[in-house]
Amino acid sequence: MTKAVNPDELATPRYIRIDPRDNVAIVVNDFGLPAKTRFPDGLELRDFVPQGHKVALVDIAEGDAVRRYNEIIGTATRPIFAGGWVDESRISMPEARELDHLELATAVPAAQPPLEGYTFEGFRNPDGSVGTKNVLAISMSVQCVAGTVDYAVKRIKEELLPKYPNVDDVVALSHNYGCGVAINAPMAIVPIRTLQNIAKNANFGGEAMVVSLGCEKLAPERLLPLDTNGSIVRMQDEAFDGFTAIVDSIMAMAEARLEVLNKRQRETCPASDLIVGLQCGGSDAFSGVTANPAVGFAADLLVRAGAKVMFSEVTEVRDAIHLLTRRAIDEEVGRALIREMKWYDDYLAKGEVDRSANTTPGNKKGGLANIVEKSLGSIVKSGSTAIVDVLSPGERIRKAGMTFAATPASDFICGTLQLASGMTLQVFTSGRGTPYGLAAAPVIKVATRTELANRWKDLVDFDAGRIATGEKTIEETGWDLFKLILDVASGRTKVWSDKWGIHNSLTLFNPGPVT
Amino acid sequence: MTKAVNPDELATPRYIRIDPRDNVAIVVNDFGLPAKTRFPDGLELRDFVPQGHKVALVDIAEGDAVRRYNEIIGTATRPIFAGGWVDESRISMPEARELDHLELATAVPAAQPPLEGYTFEGFRNPDGSVGTKNVLAISMSVQCVAGTVDYAVKRIKEELLPKYPNVDDVVALSHNYGCGVAINAPMAIVPIRTLQNIAKNANFGGEAMVVSLGCEKLAPERLLPLDTNGSIVRMQDEAFDGFTAIVDSIMAMAEARLEVLNKRQRETCPASDLIVGLQCGGSDAFSGVTANPAVGFAADLLVRAGAKVMFSEVTEVRDAIHLLTRRAIDEEVGRALIREMKWYDDYLAKGEVDRSANTTPGNKKGGLANIVEKSLGSIVKSGSTAIVDVLSPGERIRKAGMTFAATPASDFICGTLQLASGMTLQVFTSGRGTPYGLAAAPVIKVATRTELANRWKDLVDFDAGRIATGEKTIEETGWDLFKLILDVASGRTKVWSDKWGIHNSLTLFNPGPVT
């Protein structure tokens, strides 16, 4: 962590106003500032204001708009005087934005100049795709076999993997689907497509195998439609004389694949071969000020370099959708954005909730008053380029540039769906902190605050908090992050979750019922 | 496996008619019987009939009822002659039974004579409950911490557990809930109650601990409401200087609990201290003929001994509900049964499916034409005693006797919910075969067919198939199973899933939306 700034200067009371037209700003200093604190511009706090929480810059009358990002994040429920704490209870959340009359493709950003010459060391596959890792994936058509696959994976790691040093890992793609579910429900397409596509992730080198039980609803051939020959172990196959024989068969199939994967070598690939997923979790008010702008800047660089980049999380873009439909590259993409928002509105309504179910106690503790404010900070990750495509949950990414991959905001469901969409490296921003990690692709964890980055020095990979303290600009931080992405994709830098081996399970999005 | 019967006699063509009024029977012989086969009573097969599939005993006209268990399992879609294969396509499934005019408590079985003197060696807890295992459970308030808990559990098993030889295992109660979910949705009560109650399972000795992130929606205090002092590690706690400190804290808390658990000793307890869950998965046409009747007989013995026993799986009782409401001990329990059926009908309808979504390709291959036939075989597990109580998903069991614990039929969701209801040992029947196992409680796997029991000799714990071949009676088999239950509960006999350590993850039932 650079510590070039004078500590006295850091202790100066400091707030950040995002847009000159905002009537609130957020307090930067660690642990907040007490009442009577005077800022350099003369503003004096009337209340204690915690770090990341909003202070009124001018008097705001009851019913007046509270503006941040030059957008209305709510209206004042009572008069708030300049210097007062604009806490959650003083803001009434706006109604959900109507979706039928949004501007489509009215502010398509001009293409930025191409960025040439940036490369990474990746594993190129026969189909042309490029992985950032070299992983043997063992998928499964049903959860029933998960315990058996875990047992086999443990033995494969102990007995076989040491013989194949070019292979990074063996990963069981465990999940809770395949049987005991309404496999013909209209929305079953989502978990099925996710499982189909995740096995095609470039990090698996086209060598994923499937373990099946035999009586399940999800036939294993649906997971590997192009390769039914020799990539499926069916436990109920009458040739298997019990558990030992089944495990032996899984291990033999795994070893054949390890031999192939072991021949993969990293080679220099243009940055355009990257597929990067962007996500946030445990957001705070700094997310939209430090980490997400830095990620957005790095995303712009990736797009300029020709890479495929995706952002997600429907409930965290729903309240900023009017900003995104304008950025859609054409009206069709704009309509696709609206289609995904409507689908999710309906899905939530069936469960008798709405998009306000998204925010967490941690978000609010971190200064985010409601989902509108959270969303405005969340979409900053997507940078400033045109939105070129929209994916329904679990669809594979199609285009270079910035894609909206519709997913729930749940960290693990989003991560799983981005893996299915083809993501080979993820950038994950957090204000509160999370030990999140994926076995299938490296995850760069970006902290919104330096205090978190320092405290979680062995979990956080990148500190964007220096933007808030003025030690670094968004541009500098974005370039640093872009270079870290290339280093991690090349295997030169290992992320903390991979160093510790802390990886979360896949979590499928199943909007259909269980039976 | 007893092999007392003459092999020639086993080769004799054999069918089983459940009720004298049935017009179909199922073929017993392994791998089925060819056309022209003549049974000892003179019936001759007109078609090849696979094992477990139905043969018409008399001519059945188009539109006539097909009867099994003396219940209508459908109507003939075309004429079927005596000796013909009554395959799935020849049976039209009845409409779902109307729920508003069922008989309630009209055929309450008389109490059977108490069964005295049967005991097991269990771990008695301070609150009087008795476990069958001595397990340190590490629960979590949110999925974000699962990778960290997995890391800690691995170290606890390697570094601490060997010092506490009376403790059987350390189990992470991983799940996909806690954040990224609509925590205030009406049905959020189900997963929350499940997590609350599972930590109270008697196998954990009242010593479960919780790992929390800190910003999640599900506050960890909700999981341990009676013990907020010293049983929760919050990762985001500012006292923790990174991952190493967090893991150290989890290990220290675990060690304090291992010291307490290590003092638990097995003692002789009456069979009435058992809480047994009954489940089936991968059912076939023998399920209702061999394994489930044997389980039902053993369940009657458990009930007579004063134990708490539960059966579950709403979609597998829905079509036999008229038989259960009559057996309800009073009208209130009968109405509670109907309430759970209606709730599930609505839940499935929201997903645009109905109870017919339950059956699997494996069920059909095993001879079950539809969910009606499957249900009639499934409820046989519940034996012949009165149904004394009904639990909504995840509620704790209250009464001695046979309880209906409403759950989905999904093996892992049912197992998880039965653990939350207090189950300390599970009996699981299967016709197709499954390697299913739970870490928190022993699972006795019962095969419906001897062929499966022999083939999966190192996965199946108990062979009920000898009932079909006439080698054993239901009564004999039921007594054998009852004694095995006492042996497994005492730790004298280890089930196969525990010998191999193959355990499936918990799977929560979350009828509410994710966000």
Side-chain angles (χ1 to χ4, degrees), chain A residues 143 176 215 217 236 241-244 315 344 347 350 357-358 362 409 412 432-433 455 457-458 504 513-515, chain B residues 143 176 215 217 236 240-244 315 344 347 350 357-358 362 409 412 432-433 455 457-458 504 514-515:
Chain A
Q143 54 193 334
N176 292 332
C215 55
K217 290 174 178 166
Q236 289 173 350
D241 187 21
F243 185 69
T244 308
T315 51
Y344 219 92
Y347 164 73
K350 275 191 186 174
N358 173 297
F412 311 95
R432 310 300 299 170
R455 179 157 46 87
K457 57 195 177 303
D458 50 5
N504 290 89
V514 298
T515 59
Chain B
Q143 55 194 334
N176 292 332
C215 55
K217 290 175 179 167
Q236 288 172 351
F240 292 131
D241 185 21
F243 185 69
T244 307
T315 51
Y344 218 91
Y347 165 73
K350 275 190 187 175
N358 173 296
F412 310 95
R432 310 300 300 171
R455 178 157 47 88
K457 55 195 179 304
D458 50 5
N504 290 89
V514 298
T515 58

Side-chain angles (χ1 to χ4, degrees), chain B residues 131-153:
Chain B
T132 65
K133 270 188 157 179
N134 188 16
V135 171
L136 171 62
I138 306 186
S139 188
M140 50 197 85
S141 49
V142 65
Q143 55 194 334
C144 304
V145 306
T148 303
V149 172
D150 286 347
Y151 179 92
V153 165

